[in-house]
Amino acid sequence: MIKQEFRSNQQLIAVLCSVSVYSKPDSADFITERGHSIQVGVLCKSTGEIVKAHQHLPEQKVVRGCQEVLIVTKGELQVTIYDTDHNFVGTTVIYPHQIFIQYVGGHKFEVLDDVQFIEIKQGPYTPAAKVFFNPLAHEQTK
């Protein structure tokens, strides 16, 4: 699996992965690890294949923090990534058919080309759980 990882002091902050790298037929490749509270995978199935009817049973889970998944469908979106102390970690551009997953920390977005993207995160959404900040380290220092 090809993915770009963003880390701060060994801690995984975010990953960027291209969906087009998943071309193996009849495969299920998960970008996230089993222990993460959000699970993202890319599944490839052949024409006529059937996935048996199933249901995911309710489970009591404890989720700390809010992970976000972005999937760009059109345009270009630049993401600046920060760790949990608001220090600059890196910058990347998300193009169509790429998946960006942020596990911890913060981010800011800049639209480089008119963009449409899908945002997925755990709910329910509470506006009070979002904080705006001034980055502690300038983006150009790394």
Side-chain angles (χ1 to χ4, degrees):
M1 179 183 328
I2 299 171
K3 65 182 176 182
Q4 180 182 5
E5 294 185 345
F6 297 88
R7 294 181 177 271
S8 177
N9 297 321
Q10 306 285 317
Q11 182 181 29
L12 183 61
I13 305 295
V15 296
L16 176 68
C17 190
S18 178
V19 175
S20 63
V21 301
Y22 299 96
S23 57
K24 295 181 292 183
D26 304 322
S27 65
D29 292 314
F30 276 78
I31 299 164
T32 53
E33 296 175 14
R34 284 185 179 261
H36 288 135
S37 61
I38 195 156
Q39 298 292 296
V40 179
V42 177
L43 287 70
C44 298
K45 302 293 179 191
S46 299
T47 302
E49 186 172 348
I50 295 172
V51 176
K52 292 180 184 178
H54 65 284
Q55 174 184 351
H56 298 271
L57 299 174
E59 292 181 79
Q60 184 88 21
K61 297 180 182 184
V62 176
V63 177
R64 288 179 178 34
C66 181
Q67 290 79 41
E68 257 184 84
V69 177
L70 304 176
I71 303 168
V72 169
T73 58
K74 174 186 156 218
E76 298 175 10
L77 184 67
Q78 179 174 291
V79 180
T80 303
I81 305 154
Y82 304 94
D83 66 16
T84 54
D85 294 322
H86 306 161
N87 292 304
F88 173 77
V89 174
T91 300
T92 191
V93 177
I94 311 171
Y95 299 97
H97 308 293
Q98 289 186 317
I99 299 170
F100 176 80
I101 305 166
Q102 180 135 19
Y103 297 106
V104 296
H107 52 254
K108 78 173 183 183
F109 303 141
E110 181 179 343
V111 177
L112 301 180
D113 187 20
D114 292 352
V115 71
Q116 174 181 304
F117 62 96
I118 299 165
E119 179 182 80
I120 303 164
K121 56 188 167 197
Q122 292 102 341
Y125 174 71
T126 53
K130 185 179 200 174
V131 62
F132 293 93
F133 61 90
N134 288 320
L136 297 177
H138 192 270
E139 285 89 355
Q140 303 305 318
T141 61
K142 285 193 178 183

